[in-house]
Amino acid sequence: LVRSIALSVVPRAIHAVVAEHPRARFELQVHSRDTLIDLVRERRFDVAFTVLGTRADGVAIRHLATVDTVCVMHRDAPL
């Protein structure tokens, strides 16, 4: 997981799955997007979730949701 998902979306999803499947087991780890893709490709992880859509050889990527994002910058930033 990337940190932003690990702290927001995933806990709610896990709660919903466990409510329907009490014997389901989860282990959460936080990694960069590239590391997550490698871990799935190497079959060390079954699934991974990241906020960035991407293409990667050897893995299937499915769009699950659209998230609101903001840009935070100094008040004097030229943007």
Side-chain angles (χ1 to χ4, degrees), residues 17-18 21-26:
V17 170
V18 171
H21 307 279
R23 295 177 55 173
R25 298 188 66 171
F26 294 88

mmCIF file of all heavy atoms in Angstrom, residues 17-18 21-26:
data_model
loop_
_atom_site.group_PDB
_atom_site.id
_atom_site.type_symbol
_atom_site.label_atom_id
_atom_site.label_comp_id
_atom_site.label_asym_id
_atom_site.label_seq_id
_atom_site.Cartn_x
_atom_site.Cartn_y
_atom_site.Cartn_z
ATOM 1 N N VAL A 17 -14.924 -6.480 4.194
ATOM 2 C CA VAL A 17 -14.634 -7.862 3.795
ATOM 3 C C VAL A 17 -14.703 -8.787 5.005
ATOM 4 O O VAL A 17 -15.308 -9.865 4.952
ATOM 5 C CB VAL A 17 -13.259 -7.970 3.103
ATOM 6 C CG1 VAL A 17 -12.859 -9.423 2.917
ATOM 7 C CG2 VAL A 17 -13.286 -7.245 1.772
ATOM 8 N N VAL A 18 -14.101 -8.390 6.106
ATOM 9 C CA VAL A 18 -14.095 -9.229 7.310
ATOM 10 C C VAL A 18 -15.507 -9.407 7.862
ATOM 11 O O VAL A 18 -15.842 -10.471 8.383
ATOM 12 C CB VAL A 18 -13.135 -8.654 8.380
ATOM 13 C CG1 VAL A 18 -13.286 -9.370 9.705
ATOM 14 C CG2 VAL A 18 -11.700 -8.750 7.885
ATOM 15 N N HIS A 21 -16.666 -12.106 5.642
ATOM 16 C CA HIS A 21 -15.783 -13.285 5.642
ATOM 17 C C HIS A 21 -14.879 -13.245 6.873
ATOM 18 O O HIS A 21 -13.707 -12.865 6.781
ATOM 19 C CB HIS A 21 -14.931 -13.319 4.363
ATOM 20 C CG HIS A 21 -15.725 -13.224 3.109
ATOM 21 N ND1 HIS A 21 -16.369 -14.311 2.560
ATOM 22 C CD2 HIS A 21 -16.011 -12.168 2.302
ATOM 23 C CE1 HIS A 21 -17.000 -13.932 1.470
ATOM 24 N NE2 HIS A 21 -16.796 -12.639 1.295
ATOM 25 N N PRO A 22 -15.409 -13.618 8.040
ATOM 26 C CA PRO A 22 -14.660 -13.474 9.295
ATOM 27 C C PRO A 22 -13.320 -14.216 9.328
ATOM 28 O O PRO A 22 -12.442 -13.850 10.100
ATOM 29 C CB PRO A 22 -15.607 -14.039 10.350
ATOM 30 C CG PRO A 22 -16.944 -14.099 9.719
ATOM 31 C CD PRO A 22 -16.732 -14.148 8.237
ATOM 32 N N ARG A 23 -13.140 -15.212 8.499
ATOM 33 C CA ARG A 23 -11.876 -15.966 8.503
ATOM 34 C C ARG A 23 -10.837 -15.394 7.541
ATOM 35 O O ARG A 23 -9.722 -15.905 7.459
ATOM 36 C CB ARG A 23 -12.152 -17.430 8.183
ATOM 37 C CG ARG A 23 -12.995 -18.102 9.289
ATOM 38 C CD ARG A 23 -13.339 -19.507 8.990
ATOM 39 N NE ARG A 23 -12.119 -20.270 8.713
ATOM 40 C CZ ARG A 23 -12.071 -21.564 8.540
ATOM 41 N NH1 ARG A 23 -13.170 -22.268 8.629
ATOM 42 N NH2 ARG A 23 -10.943 -22.178 8.283
ATOM 43 N N ALA A 24 -11.189 -14.331 6.825
ATOM 44 C CA ALA A 24 -10.235 -13.696 5.906
ATOM 45 C C ALA A 24 -9.060 -13.144 6.701
ATOM 46 O O ALA A 24 -9.216 -12.671 7.822
ATOM 47 C CB ALA A 24 -10.917 -12.574 5.132
ATOM 48 N N ARG A 25 -7.866 -13.203 6.101
ATOM 49 C CA ARG A 25 -6.658 -12.714 6.769
ATOM 50 C C ARG A 25 -5.998 -11.653 5.898
ATOM 51 O O ARG A 25 -5.942 -11.791 4.685
ATOM 52 C CB ARG A 25 -5.702 -13.869 7.005
ATOM 53 C CG ARG A 25 -6.326 -14.911 7.931
ATOM 54 C CD ARG A 25 -5.346 -15.929 8.310
ATOM 55 N NE ARG A 25 -4.331 -15.232 9.114
ATOM 56 C CZ ARG A 25 -3.388 -15.835 9.771
ATOM 57 N NH1 ARG A 25 -3.292 -17.132 9.723
ATOM 58 N NH2 ARG A 25 -2.507 -15.155 10.464
ATOM 59 N N PHE A 26 -5.476 -10.642 6.555
ATOM 60 C CA PHE A 26 -4.824 -9.545 5.858
ATOM 61 C C PHE A 26 -3.505 -9.216 6.532
ATOM 62 O O PHE A 26 -3.372 -9.314 7.745
ATOM 63 C CB PHE A 26 -5.691 -8.277 5.891
ATOM 64 C CG PHE A 26 -6.967 -8.407 5.132
ATOM 65 C CD1 PHE A 26 -8.101 -8.906 5.749
ATOM 66 C CD2 PHE A 26 -7.039 -8.027 3.804
ATOM 67 C CE1 PHE A 26 -9.287 -9.029 5.053
ATOM 68 C CE2 PHE A 26 -8.216 -8.154 3.106
ATOM 69 C CZ PHE A 26 -9.342 -8.655 3.725
#
